[in-house]
């Protein structure tokens, strides 16, 4: 009806679609599920977060596991909200996580997960990735690596030695062949002079 209460001959039809708010999805490109922490004490992370409406919060939760101790360690949280624009639906995060100040010792592991929360007030359970494990090598691991490198070096030196022996044999054969040809040339020359 208009302001004079005259009905519209062709009223607008409205359709309402109830689109379910799905939880965010997280795809982790780096790191691998299990990896060795380098002496640089950083973890390169690269992951994508998608939601059909918008993402409000992204973070990492982690705990440190020391061999020989019970797994009752406190879980810590690192917010990554400063790494994306508010109201975003598709987020690509590259974060070089500096773990130098965590006090990790040889043989320790850092267990962590990526989390994302969307704007749905009815869904208070965030999306959580599978567990990622970063390991610092122990003394035993380091000695095993050294032994492995020594074995590789020994194998490499043995291959070089065999190659040198093969080259020496071929050189000797070529030298003998040249001497033989030279002798034949000299004999031919002597016989032609007589």
């Amino acid at each position: 009806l208009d302001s004079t209460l005259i009905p519209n001959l062709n009223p607008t039809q409205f359709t309402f679609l109830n689109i379910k708010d799905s939880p965010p999805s997280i795809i982790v490109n780096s790191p691998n599920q299990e990896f060795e922490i380098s002496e640089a004490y950083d973890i390169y992370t690269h992951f994508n977060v998608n939601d059909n409406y918008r993402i409000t919060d992204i973070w990492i939760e982690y705990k440190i596991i020391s061999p020989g101790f019970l797994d009752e360690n406190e879980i810590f949280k690192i917010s990554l909200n400063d790494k994306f624009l508010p109201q975003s639906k598709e987020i690509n995060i590259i974060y070089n996580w500096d773990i130098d100040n965590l006090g990790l010792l040889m043989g320790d592991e850092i267990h962590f997960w990526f989390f994302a929360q969307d704007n749905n007030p009815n869904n208070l359970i965030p999306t959580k990735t599978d567990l990622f494990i970063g390991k610092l090598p122990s003394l035993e691991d380091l000695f095993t690596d050294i032994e492995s490198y020594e074995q590789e070096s020994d194998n490499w030196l043995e291959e070089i030695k065999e190659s040198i022996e093969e080259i020496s044999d071929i050189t000797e054969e070529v030298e003998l062949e040249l001497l033989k040809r030279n002798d034949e040339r000299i004999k031919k020359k002597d016989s032609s002079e007589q």
Side-chain angles (χ1 to χ4, degrees), residues 127-146:
T127 299
K128 177 181 178 181
T129 63
D130 291 334
L131 172 67
F132 288 82
I133 300 174
K135 299 176 182 179
L136 262 181
S138 65
L139 275 174
E140 184 180 333
D141 295 335
L142 293 175
F143 282 122
T144 303
D145 287 346
I146 289 170

Side-chain angles (χ1 to χ4, degrees), residues 21-38:
D21 187 6
S22 302
S25 66
I26 304 173
I27 299 170
V28 179
N29 302 313
S30 181
N32 294 327
Q33 290 290 137
E34 289 193 26
F35 60 95
E36 192 171 287
I37 298 171
S38 72

Side-chain angles (χ1 to χ4, degrees), residues 95-109:
Y95 175 58
N96 202 23
W97 180 14
D98 182 10
I99 59 169
D100 193 26
N101 60 348
L102 299 182
L104 295 171
L105 302 173
M106 294 181 114
D108 284 354
E109 297 179 354

Side-chain angles (χ1 to χ4, degrees), residues 75-110:
I75 294 180
F76 299 94
K77 179 178 176 178
I78 299 172
S79 176
L80 300 176
N81 291 342
D82 61 338
K83 308 287 183 220
F84 66 95
L85 297 171
Q87 311 296 327
S88 299
K89 295 180 183 179
E90 296 180 6
I91 299 169
N92 181 33
I93 292 184
I94 296 175
Y95 175 58
N96 202 23
W97 180 14
D98 182 10
I99 59 169
D100 193 26
N101 60 348
L102 299 182
L104 295 171
L105 302 173
M106 294 181 114
D108 284 354
E109 297 179 354
I110 183 166

